[in-house]
Amino acid sequence: MDPTTIFAGYLTQVEAALTAQLGGDAPPPEDTLVIAARHLVLSGGKRARPMLVKIFADSLEFEDPRLVTVGMAAELIHAASLLHDDVVDAGMFRRGKPTVNARWGNTVSVLSGDLLLSGGLFELAKADPRLGTLSLATVQEMTRAAIAEVQARGNLSLSLADHRAIGEGKTGSLFGFCGRAVATLAGHEDAGRRFDAFGRRIGVAFQMADDVRDVTGTDEGKPQYADLSSRTPNLPVLLACRNDDKLKKRIDEAWRFGALGVDKVRELGTSVLVSGALDEAIAMMNAELDAAVDVLGEYGRTELGKNLIHWARTLARGMTLKGAA
Ligand code: FPP
Ligand code: MG
């Protein structure tokens, strides 16, 4: 069978496992938590984490039925984090649809997230107790990063290192988990360390791309400058403020005292847009991608390992150019 067919076959198996996990083809309509979870999980999404699991496994020429569990569980953990994140951020739209909290309220969103999270962790622990432990540590890290981001709101002096650590915790830790889980099942300790580091850097690049899209307005699911509206110091905003004290003061004053109406946000956003900070942010994202490739070492030089590099570059480039759910 050719590699594309194998890849598509794997993703089809993951989709089937996700559907089975969420009540199968005909879930009872009164099961609100499952119906709400399906609204998010079965409504698209890039399936970046399952894809990553498969590409990591291919690069080790490793096959195992538990890889479907790992991909499915990584997607469940990701979805759970989004259900919680949309409550934290009061997010109203995701993947082109109203969020679960917008439609069913915060209680359903939080509890539906808990259901997905416990389901994913349970399946991983059953597949291999080591995966249970690894994933628990990952969720802890995601949680710490989520609160760090909330605490950083309004802080235009947030260091770039702290901003990076938030991106690594929110997204990189789960990408890294995908690599470590595959390498653990395959019995490759060295690959586990390298895949984890690769995933973490890719996660940071992914978050940087997300920050760039906020300013360029190329995320179809979100209004332009949403981060400025929510007083979230994203990477282009931080870079623009480092280079221009007057702009920093203007944003700071608007964040502290202003009503932050649409016009004010657009005025400040335009200043960030023309400041040159976007180019700097894209350069930083590319540096993360290069460092991710370096850290793969020999695993990035094999024919199959090159797919990891291709996947990462395509994902980040695609995100900076157009919207991605
Ligand atoms: C989306 O970020 C959110 C995340 C990548 C992770 C959020 C993590 C938590 C809420 C901690 C709890 C974790 C679990 C596993 C239950 P974003 O707000 O930058 O992106 P968005 O624009 O898509 O909302
Ligand atoms: Mg959010």
Side-chain angles (χ1 to χ4, degrees), residues 163-164 167-168 171-172 175 198-213 235 281-292 312-313 315-317 319-320:
H163 176 269
R164 189 188 178 286
E168 180 172 340
T171 300
F175 281 2
F198 172 85
R200 284 171 178 278
R201 289 214 176 254
I202 297 302
V204 170
F206 194 89
Q207 281 299 139
M208 288 176 169
D210 201 45
D211 286 3
V212 167
R213 287 192 306 158
L235 184 60
I282 291 172
M284 286 176 72
M285 181 195 83
N286 284 325
E288 282 296 337
L289 290 171
D290 289 343
R313 290 206 188 280
L315 187 73
R317 199 173 305 124
M319 281 186 68
T320 42

Side-chain angles (χ1 to χ4, degrees), residues 85-86 89 94 170:
D85 179 71
D86 284 332
D89 288 356
R94 186 173 288 286
K170 269 172 64 183

Side-chain angles (χ1 to χ4, degrees), residues 36 136 161 174 248 288:
L136 283 166
L174 188 53
K248 183 175 180 186
E288 282 296 337

